[in-house]
Amino acid sequence: MGVRRMMEFLGNVVPFVDDMPAPVDTEGEEIAPNPEGPLSLFVFKTTVEPHIGEVSYFKVMSGTLKAGADLENVTRGGKERFAQIFCVCGQLREAVDTLQAGDIGASVKLKDVRTGNTLDEKGCEIKFDFIKYPAPKYQRAIRPVTESDAEKLAGILTRMHEEDPTWQIEQSKELKQTILSGQGEFHLRTLKWRVENNDKLPIVFEEPKIPYRETITKASRADYRHKKQSGGAGQFGEVHLIVEPYTEGMPAPDTYRFGNQEFKMNVRDTQEIPLAWGGKLVVCNCIVGGAIDARFIPAIVKGLMDRMEQGPLTGSYARDVRVCIYDGKMHPVDSNEISFRLAGRNAFSQAFREANPKVLEPVYDVEVLVPSDVMGDVMSDLQGRRAIIMGMSSENGFEKISAKVPLKEMSSYSTSLSSITGGRSSFTMKFASYELVPGDVQEKLLKEYAEKNTEE
């Protein structure tokens, strides 16, 4: 009943395609919907149907499309043949011979066409970019109930992302989870229902882990000897090093004092390693007198990177550390790369723990648009989430609250905000920086990591 009324309204009130302003392509040029013009069409939706496969829905923007036409995909490259074209009414598809500018149609069994692609006839370079997807607001980790179904689930999620690109899927190597992002709890529940009912694959949603970082706040020193003898050539490597917090542009190391001992550094070589997860590891080779052969330095750096990838506190990535390797010992027969890699890793781990280490958490810039009558409730809720309110202003009849909020506290925010405001609010969030977690939160994280390691 509602659909019929809506279609009647569109037929009676909405202007015909000729009366609308001409659409604009990515170059800013107006493309008139002229049936005699160059052929160009825009794919605005893709669905996957059993027994048929992908169905691509498109609008003819210019020219006339005939069944059997060959077009070029200007977005992805490659050629596509439209062997059959259809007019669509719900589940019914009626094959037609031609579609003109302004018409909406569908085609099946196209090779490599995605939502948002433009297809043109040869010699035509028109390209459209109409769809702007909203940023995701709700995240959950997703996994199959049976681990052996992981590959099958990955295929299903890829297909569903093609149907609805606002479902975003990320395989997080750091968190060891598949992260599914969407517009809200109901959006993700819809995906869960479809996977379990259409594909008969039971799945579980979990709270996503938080990508914490680890760093240090003072200098410390450690040494470690790796020695292993098991008949024949053994393993031997000893590494002495100093770690300290690294900041951009800090001067080269000179002298360190620990207790009554003074350590003078003579820097021979410096490596700056930008880390994929942010921050840097800086390694200074301060070895004099050949205490460790230069060929073993890369092995020690590998050992340091092992620990940077799995921090000693919570197993999270570490960042912004400078390491000075200043002494060590080697054996003419037993020393090898693996010995120095292990010695470097363990010395670094020991020094890191004594350098007053801290856990950093991701903090996001959050902007909330709320009606003025519920502003107080929304502010109270944000402050309960460890938010720092940065400012308030008015925008389009709404009150806008700007705040910095830890990601940990934002996991179910879209549901809470909808509940507080009766669905009348919206928010956006964008990564801002990494900040130190409060002491009580850090203690809790360390305890959880220790318990997890004990179980394993």
Side-chain angles (χ1 to χ4, degrees), residues 322-337:
R322 181 160 75 180
V323 182
C324 299
I325 306 164
Y326 68 90
D327 200 2
K329 285 180 185 166
M330 59 183 183
H331 190 277
V333 177
D334 292 349
S335 285
N336 53 25
E337 287 196 1

Side-chain angles (χ1 to χ4, degrees), residues 183-198:
Q183 295 304 302
E185 187 180 0
F186 183 72
H187 194 209
L188 266 62
R189 278 215 312 265
T190 304
L191 180 140
K192 187 174 192 285
W193 186 92
R194 286 175 60 179
V195 171
E196 293 187 333
N197 288 272
N198 298 351

